[in-house]
Amino acid sequence: MEQYKKPFLGAAYYPEDWDESEIDYDISKMKEAGITCARIAEFAWSKLEPTPGNYDFEWVHKVIAKLSAADIGVVLCTPTATPPIWLSRMYPDVLVLGADGFQVRHGGRRHCCSNNPNYIEYSKRIVEAMAKEFGADDRIMGWQIDNEIYLQGCTCPECEALFREHLKKKYGTVENLNKTWNLTLWSQEYSDFDEIRIPVHAWHNPHLKLEYLLFQSDTHSRYIGMQADILKKYTKAPIGTDTMPLNGVNYETLTEKCDIIQFNHYDKPSGLHVQRFWFDFIRTLKDRPFWNTETSTCWNGSESTGQDLKPYGFCRVNSWMPVILGGESTMYWLWRTHWAGHELMHGAVLYPSGRPYPIFEEVARTSNEFEKCADFINGTKVDTEIAIHFTSLNWNMFSVQSVITGIDYRSMIYDKVYTPVVNAGFRPDVIGAKKDLSAYKLLFSPFMLTLDDGDLISRVKNWVNNGGVWVVGPMSDLRNSVGTRFADRPYNILEDFVGVRQTYEAPDRDGLIKTNWSDGSEFDGNYWYELFETDDDSLITVTEGYPTLIGKSVLVRKKVGKGTVYVLGTVPSSEDMKKIIALAAADAGVEGYEISGTLIVAPRSGEAGEGLIVAECKNEKGSIVLKDEMTDIITGKKYSGKTELEPYDVLVLKK
């Protein structure tokens, strides 16, 4: 793929939609728009294999040749998300069996069971056939496996049998499972693993529900890994699978055999800033730049559109965002809106008629800017010394036992911790449980119901003892890895490791509990309180409310080894979280930028030098106080000190 200059600006292209005579026109418009790569064959299984074992790749060869002749790279996709009807006619059991007892029918996508042996066998056949045919073709810059694979909720006999095997492998004996889950409660004990069914209603045991979510994640990971293993026998091009802004499927595991992270997202202007969080997360999953494989140019939709025309500049900043935050591509869904079938109201680069959408000029402008900044982008990486935990196990645990009704794991992290951190001018990594911690000086572990995830506990302890600053809580360390509470203590490790003693827990969204900082100023907590014995390390204490809670602490700061641990027992206001961040950052010796507005601030360094990419992502004015004089690579203009940004502005600044 070295012949194609990064960062890439691409689009999903469906030549199977169109008469062959349209391809040359499409490619000419791609060149005009500055498109440098195209994803193809994503949903084309029935055209690639019209009948079982009879493959037609000639049309794909023609498209690749035409794209390559125009210096447009190709991302080739395995089409396993949309099996042809001949497969479900031959093997009706390949179709997902829903929790309602009804089997889905042909006509959608991702509607086959990833555990069904017939689906797996025919998936292997089409993937291997494509890999043999195209694996050595150096015009293919990468591969995409399947499409947006996620939890399906299949309850077929194959899934149920494999789920029982999953439980048997994990718990050994049914007696151990009964004991671990406390199944004497409500007379829920099993006498044999064969009695265990997939949970389908709300009152099923929460530990059973959690295990089913984890089982689904594992089986999808095996399915993607199976395809990656086949492709790697025939190609050296990078392999990925396009993911979504969800974390129920463990992306650390799902992408283990992939070379590159691929990610899809669609946003209204009011929600674009949230994608900062997801890019900060997927950036950490591989030690190489990720690909944003799908985003909308303007609006998205299916049979109808739920979005409107977006403000001028949205397409540009949305296209820049993944590249600013560590990616090397932005690819639009899609190049040319379908003329029939699904998603006729989805925005694209071209209308079905072939005429450009209003954003065409923004696409071309972005491509031109990518080219101008390519050397700096390709020669630098995002710099950060701060991390925020965001794990798949906790995502799933919160989905079945959320502590406080109505709270959402991702939203709480984003609103209550991540946003105050970025508003303080820091660029954090958002990390899973497996991520190495050695590069960080400051770590936040909020809403980590369980820390018991692989070897995470031992690595955190070692990192703190060697000088790390750890802000842990609220709602952290309260469960073991299968979601049970502790019968002999409130926490798993915090009391022994940190030396903080919890005396009470209490939900409070009505403001009954009043708290103050140690200097007497008011502290505003909410939702939930974990209350500790007060000592010289207490920073915030209860001053009013329930009598037995007065005098207890909700934030303590303890020295542990060479490091420092802040144990936070409630959800602070943004202003109070800002104070906590400032204290912890000072202990860690890290410094952010002074900013206003909703900005992306990405310090970067590498062989191409040092710099900073800044963008405004909420269609409002913003500002940043620069620490050095810098030059914007896009315009050549010099900046220093307080620098104003216009709505949707992008500055690629180099020292």
Side-chain angles (χ1 to χ4, degrees):
M1 58 182 280
E2 294 305 318
Q3 68 267 39
Y4 303 112
K5 190 169 184 179
K6 301 172 285 188
F8 309 114
L9 190 67
Y13 185 41
Y14 298 92
E16 64 270 27
D17 277 7
W18 309 97
D19 189 274
E20 190 176 334
S21 63
E22 294 287 312
I23 295 175
D24 289 337
Y25 171 79
D26 278 324
I27 292 175
S28 71
K29 298 301 286 185
M30 288 182 191
K31 294 295 289 182
E32 189 179 333
I35 295 296
T36 58
C37 67
R39 294 164 59 223
I40 65 171
E42 183 179 46
F43 300 131
W45 192 342
S46 63
K47 187 162 185 178
L48 293 165
E49 189 179 6
T51 57
N54 296 311
Y55 302 106
D56 178 8
F57 298 135
E58 186 59 31
W59 66 275
V60 183
H61 282 293
K62 289 179 180 178
V63 174
I64 291 173
K66 287 179 178 289
L67 289 167
S68 180
D71 295 321
I72 297 172
V74 173
V75 178
L76 190 58
C77 307
T78 68
T80 50
T82 54
I85 196 167
W86 54 254
L87 181 60
S88 53
R89 288 180 65 186
M90 288 169 59
Y91 304 104
D93 62 341
V94 301
L95 299 169
V96 167
L97 183 66
D100 57 5
F102 289 95
Q103 199 161 41
V104 301
R105 296 179 179 178
H106 179 80
R109 70 185 195 214
R110 280 266 92 246
H111 53 284
C112 283
C113 172
S114 295
N115 292 316
N116 181 276
N118 293 311
Y119 177 55
I120 291 171
E121 177 59 27
Y122 279 87
S123 295
K124 286 180 178 178
R125 292 184 186 187
I126 184 66
V127 173
E128 183 130 27
M130 292 180 71
K132 286 179 178 178
E133 186 78 14
F134 300 104
D137 192 332
D138 62 6
R139 297 171 298 182
I140 294 172
M141 54 187 282
W143 290 76
Q144 174 190 305
I145 295 173
D146 207 84
N147 172 255
E148 297 181 338
I149 194 164
Y150 204 65
L151 304 178
Q152 292 173 300
C154 185
T155 64
C156 73
E158 191 69 36
C159 282
E160 199 149 73
L162 289 172
F163 180 49
R164 291 174 183 138
E165 288 301 314
H166 163 86
L167 295 174
K168 192 179 298 184
K169 182 178 179 181
K170 184 166 184 175
Y171 294 96
T173 65
V174 74
E175 291 78 15
N176 185 46
L177 181 144
N178 288 333
K179 181 179 178 181
T180 302
W181 292 358
N182 189 30
L183 294 188
T184 53
L185 185 67
W186 290 13
S187 302
Q188 290 186 350
E189 305 103 318
Y190 298 103
S191 60
D192 192 282
F193 281 107
D194 288 341
E195 296 169 347
I196 300 176
R197 304 293 306 275
I198 286 173
V200 296
H201 60 71
W203 274 100
H204 265 128
N205 187 286
H207 310 302
L208 179 68
K209 290 163 69 175
L210 176 62
E211 286 294 354
Y212 179 53
L213 295 175
L214 303 182
F215 160 76
Q216 288 185 79
S217 177
D218 288 347
T219 59
H220 287 319
S221 296
R222 284 198 296 271
Y223 181 74
I224 295 298
M226 172 271 291
Q227 293 199 33
D229 285 340
I230 293 171
L231 290 171
K232 285 182 177 182
K233 293 190 296 183
Y234 302 99
T235 185
K236 294 181 180 178
I239 299 163
T241 183
D242 57 332
T243 57
M244 296 178 290
L246 299 162
N247 203 18
V249 172
N250 187 332
Y251 287 151
E252 288 183 305
T253 304
L254 183 78
T255 62
E256 196 166 30
K257 292 186 176 182
C258 294
D259 306 304
I260 197 164
I261 303 300
Q262 299 170 346
F263 182 75
N264 303 345
H265 76 98
Y266 298 90
D267 300 284
K268 296 179 180 179
S270 60
L272 180 61
H273 58 93
V274 177
Q275 292 309 322
R276 298 175 298 178
F277 176 88
W278 289 102
F279 292 133
D280 284 336
F281 173 51
I282 63 169
R283 178 179 67 243
T284 70
L285 296 176
K286 295 286 180 184
D287 189 23
R288 63 168 294 165
F290 61 85
W291 290 356
N292 187 180
T293 33
E294 288 185 24
T295 190
S296 59
T297 54
C298 42
W299 57 82
N300 72 336
S302 186
E303 285 77 16
S304 62
T305 178
Q307 296 185 358
D308 299 312
L309 180 67
K310 294 167 183 172
Y312 181 76
F314 176 93
C315 181
R316 175 186 177 232
V317 77
N318 181 45
S319 304
W320 261 105
M321 188 181 288
V323 174
I324 294 170
L325 292 176
E328 65 181 15
S329 86
T330 290
M331 303 182 198
Y332 303 119
W333 202 89
L334 65 170
W335 168 248
R336 189 171 175 176
T337 302
H338 301 313
W339 63 274
H342 286 289
E343 300 175 304
L344 301 189
M345 293 308 300
H346 203 295
V349 185
L350 300 185
Y351 290 104
S353 64
R355 297 176 182 177
Y357 274 81
I359 47 71
F360 193 88
E361 178 271 335
E362 278 191 76
V363 173
R365 177 186 179 186
T366 302
S367 179
N368 180 262
E369 291 174 348
F370 279 8
E371 188 172 357
K372 279 186 178 181
C373 302
D375 290 340
F376 177 71
I377 292 167
N378 297 333
T380 59
K381 290 185 177 181
V382 176
D383 288 332
T384 180
E385 297 175 311
I386 298 177
I388 301 171
H389 267 134
F390 174 64
T391 75
S392 181
L393 178 56
N394 279 288
W395 173 291
N396 285 308
M397 199 169 286
F398 261 90
S399 74
V400 298
Q401 41 179 277
S402 63
V403 180
I404 299 287
T405 301
I407 68 170
D408 172 75
Y409 173 60
R410 196 279 306 166
S411 296
M412 292 298 282
I413 293 177
Y414 180 82
D415 292 336
K416 307 303 180 183
V417 180
Y418 176 87
T419 297
V421 167
V422 298
N423 285 348
F426 293 107
R427 176 86 276 123
D429 277 352
V430 178
I431 63 173
K434 296 180 181 179
K435 181 68 175 177
D436 177 59
L437 302 176
S438 59
Y440 306 115
K441 294 182 178 179
L442 175 57
L443 172 66
F444 294 86
S445 300
F447 310 103
M448 291 277 283
L449 270 180
T450 185
L451 296 168
D452 187 9
D453 194 342
D455 64 348
L456 176 61
I457 289 173
S458 63
R459 291 189 293 106
V460 168
K461 285 182 174 181
N462 183 63
W463 177 81
V464 170
N465 281 320
N466 282 296
V469 177
W470 187 29
V471 182
V472 57
M475 303 184 199
S476 296
D477 201 35
L478 300 174
R479 303 282 194 272
N480 68 8
S481 63
V482 298
T484 71
R485 301 183 73 167
F486 303 101
D488 59 344
R489 62 197 189 280
Y491 293 129
N492 187 12
I493 69 162
L494 288 181
E495 291 197 3
D496 290 341
F497 177 55
V498 181
V500 58
R501 179 176 174 81
Q502 188 206 114
T503 51
Y504 301 109
E505 295 175 351
D508 181 25
R509 285 171 286 184
D510 295 327
L512 179 67
I513 299 172
K514 306 293 184 183
T515 50
N516 281 358
W517 286 89
S518 54
D519 64 6
S521 60
E522 289 186 5
F523 172 86
D524 184 12
N526 201 352
Y527 295 97
W528 173 258
Y529 285 83
E530 296 153 38
L531 299 160
F532 319 119
E533 292 293 341
T534 306
D535 57 27
D536 292 341
D537 297 313
S538 298
L539 298 180
I540 299 168
T541 55
V542 178
T543 55
E544 297 179 38
Y546 207 81
T548 52
L549 307 184
I550 294 174
K552 301 303 180 186
S553 176
V554 294
L555 176 65
V556 295
R557 177 185 180 274
K558 297 279 188 180
K559 291 295 293 181
V560 179
K562 296 178 182 178
T564 304
V565 180
Y566 290 77
V567 183
L568 177 61
T570 190
V571 181
S573 68
S574 295
E575 282 302 307
D576 286 309
M577 191 64 201
K578 185 178 178 181
K579 292 182 182 180
I580 295 169
I581 292 166
L583 289 170
D587 284 341
V590 295
E591 185 180 355
Y593 284 84
E594 182 183 339
I595 67 170
S596 68
T598 307
L599 302 187
I600 305 165
V601 180
R604 297 180 67 112
S605 65
E607 61 184 20
E610 294 184 40
L612 183 72
I613 308 183
V614 188
E616 197 288 316
C617 58
K618 210 173 180 183
N619 202 24
E620 302 168 346
K621 289 190 174 184
S623 68
I624 182 169
V625 178
L626 300 177
K627 301 172 185 178
D628 303 282
E629 183 177 84
M630 295 182 170
T631 301
D632 180 20
I633 299 173
I634 295 174
T635 64
K637 185 177 178 180
K638 294 185 182 298
Y639 293 90
S640 62
K642 186 173 182 178
T643 299
E644 304 287 343
L645 280 85
E646 294 299 314
Y648 291 152
D649 212 352
V650 177
L651 302 177
V652 182
L653 302 169
K654 184 177 180 182
K655 282 188 184 182

